[in-house]
Structures are given as C-alpha cells and as structure tokens.
C-alpha cells in the first residue's frame, strides 16, 4: 500500500521495515571490491570461508571472552538460512517448539516447514514480552522438543535477563530439549553489556547475522554456532540446501571486524540510541503506552489501545491519512494483535520528527490531545 501511494507522488515515512538505514561502511565495500578483483567468485565450503569463521571466533573472544572453536561456526546465507538449518536439524514432525507471543513471524513458519508446531505463549509487558523459566516449565508437554528465543527481540527490542535465560536453558536441557537463541540484534544493545547465550551454556544453538549491527541486509550473510556433535549434520543440510553463502559477501564480511569498521559501527549504534531516546518519550507524549523500554534492536513496541480497539485498522488509516508506515501487532502473534504496534526507528532523526508531527496531527483530528 505504501508503494502504491509513493507511486502516486505521496511522501511516505517508513517506520515499518526492520532494516538499518545505514549501509555497509567503506572498509567492507573495499574488501568486496578486492575479492572481486582477485577473482574470489567461486563456490566456497558449505560451512563458510575459513578466514571468516576464524574472524567470528575471534569476535566472540574479544566481545564476550568466549573460546568458540571456528569448527563450531557455520556461515549461512543470512540469519534466515541459519534458522532454517537449525530447524531442519532439530525439529522433527509433530515436535512442539515453545516461543513467546509476540515474536518474529518467520520463526513459527520455519518450524512448520519441518512439520513441527509452534506453541506461542502469551508474554506480556510484565514479562518484558519474553518467555520465563516458569512459562517454559508450565507449557512443556510430551510433544515439546525445544524453545526458540530472540534476545533482543523483534518486535519488542527487549532482552532476556541473563539469569532468566540461564534458568530457561537449564530447564530445557534437563528435559532433553534444544534451545535456539536468535542474537542478531545483540550488537545493538544500549543499556548494558550483552551476554551471549553461549556464555551460559555451550549446548545452545545461537543465530547471528551481518544484517543488523553490521548493516549488510542485502548481502544475505549470517552465522550459526552449534555444538560440535551436530556440525556434520548441519554441513550436509547446508550443502544440499544452499551449496554455500555468497563468496563475495563472505570475503567482504571479514572486514566487518576491523578497527576501522568497528569504529563506524559503534558511531552508528550511538545514533540508534539517540533516536530511541528521542522517540520513546515523544510517543508517550502523544499518548502511546511504552510499557517496556526497549534495550536493543531498533524497535519500540507501543500500546495504541487508548486510540483504537483495532491496531491493524489504525495502521492502515495512519498510512493513508498521515503517510507514516508502522506495523500492527497482528504480524507477531494473537496475544498483542489488536493493542500494540511495532515502530522502527531505523530512519533519520529528521524523518522521526516529521513522523511524530504527522501522527500528532492525525490523532488531533480524532480528538486525542496527547497525554
């Protein structure tokens, strides 16, 4: 709908898609150019270029103090491919996988692709929109085989406290299940030093990506960290499903861990934090509820129930009348479908200020005057 309005000449502010407005920095682009000039354009190992796997292992050592052997790191065609491979290896037909509601919609679809069943557990703001150990214990059934979590989360930007995550992992492990943790937004953590699930238990499966913190969405590159015992299984699946990730993207991504690139990424991270710190109070001033301060990613999960009983309809009206794109909770599960919206601040401060002004005018026309 937004594209149709733009084709008609309307100016639309996009606060919907989960994509950084920054692109790959120059050191990464230069590395890609060198790879192409050197002819590094052929198939690589299905597990990824060894130099990139070593660079990722060094990243875990530097950022988290973890000794992760490169042999446990599998480079993938984006985090989506990483999730696909994890589900292919771990989800059996009929298996139930617990996940919070709200959560990223593709998670349940990937489980369904391997004839498993996603069990969405209502996880409201009182739980930071995340699962707890108690929820996992109470909802575990004879059919349950594991949990799929994200910290920080899409759509809420909230993280699971390390002590709670440790309890969840221990509970799942005691039941013989698997824990998959999506950490693709962990580089964009603003209020505390993030703790990888790998620091809590070496048997977890961790997903990460070059899309969010590293600003390489269209390059389609991510990675998996898995226990050594399932690497051969993942390798066979990767060979059959993907052959290999993009060779150019892999050689370029090695430069992501350089000092020059890291300095740029950290500056951009501070800009995301600045946007969050502007937008949260601005939305509250308009009358939206923000019951949990997002501590990561670039999303705010905002309560719009003061204005409407139907968040989906509200977002359509906001698009057509104010020219602002935001995403209804409907996309992320039934528990928060009608009262919450996901608002992305992965756009410029200029756009954010204009969007706040437009939303304010839109609400005023409907008789709402802010809080």
């Amino acid at each position: 709908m937004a594209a149709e309005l733009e084709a008609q000449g309307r100016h639309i502010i996009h606060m919907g898609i989960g994509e950084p407005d920054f692109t790959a920095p120059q050191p990464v682009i230069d590395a890609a150019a060198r790879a192409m000039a050197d002819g590094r354009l052929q198939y690589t190992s299905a597990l990824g270029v060894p130099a990139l796997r070593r660079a990722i292992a060094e990243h875990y050592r530097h950022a988290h103090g973890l000794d992760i052997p490169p042999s446990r790191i599998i480079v993938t065609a984006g985090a989506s491919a990483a999730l696909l491979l994890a589900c292919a290896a771990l989800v059996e037909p009929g298996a139930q996988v617990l996940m919070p509601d709200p959560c990223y919609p593709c998670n349940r679809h990937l489980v369904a692709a391997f004839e498993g069943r996603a069990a969405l557990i209502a996880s409201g703001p009182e739980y930071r929109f995340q699962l707890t150990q108690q929820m996992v214990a109470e909802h575990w059934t004879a059919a349950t085989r594991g949990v799929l979590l994200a910290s920080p989360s899409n759509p809420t930007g909230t993280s699971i406290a390390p002590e709670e995550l440790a309890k969840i992992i221990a509970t799942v492990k005691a039941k013989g299940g698997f824990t998959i943790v999506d950490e693709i937004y962990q580089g964009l953590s603003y209020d505390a030093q993030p703790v990888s699930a790998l620091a809590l238990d070496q048997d977890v499966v961790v997903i990460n990506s070059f899309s969010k913190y590293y600003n390489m969405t269209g390059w389609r590159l991510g990675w998996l960290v898995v226990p050594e015992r399932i690497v051969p299984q993942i390798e066979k699946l990767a060979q059959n499903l993907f052959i290999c990730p993009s060779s150019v993207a892999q050689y370029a991504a090695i430069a992501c861990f350089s000092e020059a690139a890291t300095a740029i990424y950290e500056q951009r991270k501070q800009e995301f934090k600045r946007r969050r710190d502007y937008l949260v109070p601005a939305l509250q001033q308009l009358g939206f509820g923000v019951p949990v301060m997002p501590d990561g990613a670039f999303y705010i999960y905002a309560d719009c129930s003061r204005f409407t009983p139907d968040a989906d309809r509200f977002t359509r009206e906001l698009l057509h009348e104010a020219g602002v794109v935001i995403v209804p909770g409907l996309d992320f599960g039934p528990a928060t479908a009608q009262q919450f919206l996901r608002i992305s601040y992965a756009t410029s401060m200029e756009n954010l200020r204009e969007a706040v002004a437009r939303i304010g005018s839109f609400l005023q026309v409907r008789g709402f005057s802010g809080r």
Side-chain angles (χ1 to χ4, degrees):
M1 285 187 287
E4 290 173 1
L5 292 175
E6 286 175 317
Q8 297 166 18
R10 289 279 302 277
H11 177 253
I12 304 298
I13 298 175
H14 289 270
M15 301 172 71
I17 192 167
E19 178 174 43
D21 52 319
F22 303 112
T23 57
Q26 198 61 46
V28 176
I29 294 171
D30 291 343
R34 285 194 300 272
M36 288 188 284
D38 293 343
R40 295 182 170 185
L41 302 170
Q42 296 175 302
Y43 293 143
T44 73
S45 161
L47 297 178
V49 171
L52 180 55
R53 297 169 75 193
R54 290 193 298 269
I56 294 169
E58 182 57 33
H59 162 72
Y60 279 105
R61 192 181 340 273
H62 176 75
H64 299 283
L66 297 173
D67 185 15
I68 306 295
S71 58
R72 291 179 53 199
I73 296 167
I74 294 100
V75 182
T76 60
S80 296
L83 281 162
L84 182 76
L85 289 168
C87 289
L90 297 171
V91 176
E92 303 166 354
Q96 182 189 72
V97 181
L98 306 181
M99 56 188 75
D101 180 356
C103 69
Y104 179 55
C106 293
N107 289 351
R108 57 185 185 266
H109 302 156
L110 290 168
V111 168
F114 297 98
E115 300 181 58
R117 183 171 63 85
L120 298 180
I121 301 172
S123 308
E126 65 272 32
Y127 306 108
R128 298 182 53 76
F129 300 110
Q130 295 280 5
L131 292 189
T132 66
Q133 182 275 336
Q134 184 176 350
M135 289 178 187
V136 171
E138 289 177 352
H139 287 83
W140 198 277
T141 71
T144 308
R145 294 294 178 269
V147 298
L148 202 171
L149 311 168
S151 184
S153 161
N154 175 7
T156 67
T158 62
S159 300
I160 307 173
E163 56 272 20
E164 191 66 36
L165 182 56
K167 293 176 186 177
I168 292 172
I169 294 168
T171 296
V172 173
K173 196 170 185 178
K175 294 179 179 295
F178 62 80
T179 299
I180 302 173
V181 183
D182 177 343
E183 296 183 346
I184 71 172
Y185 293 102
Q186 195 169 76
L188 297 173
S189 296
Y190 307 117
D191 301 327
Q193 181 66 25
V195 176
S196 173
L198 294 163
L200 307 173
D201 193 292
Q202 289 292 307
D203 281 337
V204 298
V205 172
V206 162
I207 310 289
N208 216 315
S209 174
F210 288 94
S211 290
K212 309 304 181 179
Y213 176 77
Y214 298 104
N215 310 154
M216 294 175 68
T217 52
W219 300 66
R220 307 313 305 131
L221 202 65
W223 75 83
L224 269 170
V225 183
V226 302
E228 200 82 56
R229 65 181 180 277
I230 67 170
V231 170
Q233 185 179 357
I234 296 285
E235 182 175 17
K236 284 185 280 188
L237 288 163
Q239 286 172 335
N240 280 274
L241 292 172
F242 301 105
I243 299 181
C244 70
S246 160
S247 58
V248 172
Q250 290 187 74
Y251 287 112
I254 296 169
C256 289
F257 303 104
S258 67
E259 286 187 17
T262 299
I264 294 168
Y265 290 132
E266 286 300 300
Q267 289 173 355
R268 293 175 175 182
K269 174 180 171 179
Q270 290 306 309
E271 174 60 17
F272 278 129
K273 182 178 184 297
R274 187 170 78 97
R275 295 172 184 180
R276 180 201 68 169
D277 292 346
Y278 160 74
L279 191 56
V280 168
L283 291 170
Q284 291 172 325
Q285 193 64 40
L286 290 173
F288 290 92
V290 183
V292 185
M293 181 69 165
D295 59 271
F298 33 68
Y299 307 115
I300 299 167
Y301 211 49
D303 186 341
C304 64
S305 58
R306 179 186 173 205
F307 309 122
T308 179
D310 185 344
D312 186 39
R313 180 178 176 181
F314 183 85
T315 58
R316 290 168 183 263
E317 292 173 347
L318 187 65
L319 169 61
H320 285 280
E321 297 177 33
V324 177
V325 178
I326 53 180
V327 180
L330 181 66
D331 285 6
F332 307 105
T336 55
Q338 297 305 327
Q339 68 268 37
F340 278 88
L341 311 166
R342 190 192 75 175
I343 302 174
S344 168
Y345 49 90
T347 188
S348 69
M349 282 293 292
E350 179 184 8
N351 280 342
L352 294 180
R353 291 192 177 98
E354 174 62 20
V356 167
R358 292 187 188 186
I359 296 169
S361 298
F362 170 84
L363 293 173
Q364 262 192 332
V365 169
R366 283 156 177 72
F368 297 102
S369 56
R371 65 178 185 186

